[in-house]
Amino acid sequence: LDKSQSLDLAIFSTYSSKDRTQINKITEYLSSQRYFDVWIDVEKLLPGQDWFSEIKNGLDQTVRRGGYTVVFWSKNLGNTGRYSYQGIKNNHVLVALLDNTPLPKDLANVEPIVQLYKDASLTSIHRLDNLVVNLYWLIYRNSKSIDL
């Protein structure tokens, strides 16, 4: 009988609004099929709120809970020049590649990096589950203070 507590699976998503359709599918899968608590702007931000403050709060809470920022990297996000640095500063970041756009210098050495764009060797569900497995491991490792 496993008496361990369930993991708090908090993630904060950073992406380009031009990729919203694809991100909505991914985050819906992470929430409904793999039980992650996903912070995503279209669900958390309301008209009239101070969006900057709410985004910072969402990031801070995710990191405080032991969660991770998932940077959904794409050409679109690269063109905006805007993505969250909070998770990166706290080493709580995972990069998910939506296409083969090169990473900027500050993300190039982040590990793990998960490829989500089409690959002949994996189905889309396998690519998503690679993301899930990496997130599970990172959150578990962080919750147990495992040092490698």
Side-chain angles (χ1 to χ4, degrees):
L1 181 63
D2 182 11
K3 294 185 180 191
S4 61
Q5 289 184 317
S6 62
L7 292 175
D8 184 3
L9 302 171
I11 62 171
F12 184 95
S13 57
T14 300
Y15 65 98
S16 166
S17 61
K18 291 181 180 180
D19 297 321
R20 183 166 288 139
T21 300
Q22 184 179 9
I23 298 305
N24 285 344
K25 290 177 187 175
I26 293 168
T27 57
E28 173 60 27
Y29 176 79
L30 292 172
S31 295
S32 67
Q33 300 297 312
R34 297 299 184 251
Y35 312 108
F36 284 91
D37 181 10
V38 180
W39 195 103
I40 185 165
D41 58 351
V42 294
E43 294 177 7
K44 302 290 186 182
L45 298 178
L46 301 172
Q49 286 182 317
D50 176 357
W51 287 6
F52 180 80
S53 175
E54 292 298 317
I55 290 169
K56 183 178 179 334
N57 256 351
L59 269 168
D60 291 345
Q61 286 178 13
T62 298
V63 171
R64 224 179 358 265
R65 290 171 56 194
Y68 278 74
T69 299
V70 178
V71 177
F72 291 100
W73 187 256
S74 68
K75 180 180 180 181
N76 293 326
L77 185 59
N79 287 340
T80 68
R82 296 182 310 220
Y83 54 93
S84 166
Y85 286 89
Q86 180 68 29
I88 296 165
K89 288 179 185 172
N90 290 302
N91 297 323
H92 283 245
V93 67
L94 180 142
V95 177
L97 303 174
L98 298 180
D99 58 32
N100 61 359
T101 302
L103 291 167
K105 195 179 345 181
D106 57 342
L107 285 178
N109 294 322
V110 170
E111 287 187 18
I113 296 174
V114 178
Q115 178 181 320
L116 294 179
Y117 60 90
K118 195 162 186 99
D119 176 330
S121 66
L122 296 174
T123 65
S124 60
I125 199 74
H126 283 107
R127 290 189 303 273
L128 282 175
D129 277 337
N130 282 343
L131 173 63
V132 169
V133 166
N134 277 280
L135 284 166
Y136 280 160
W137 168 243
L138 290 169
I139 292 169
Y140 174 78
R141 182 182 70 185
N142 184 56
S143 74
K144 302 296 182 190
S145 299
I146 297 170
D147 228 357
L148 299 177

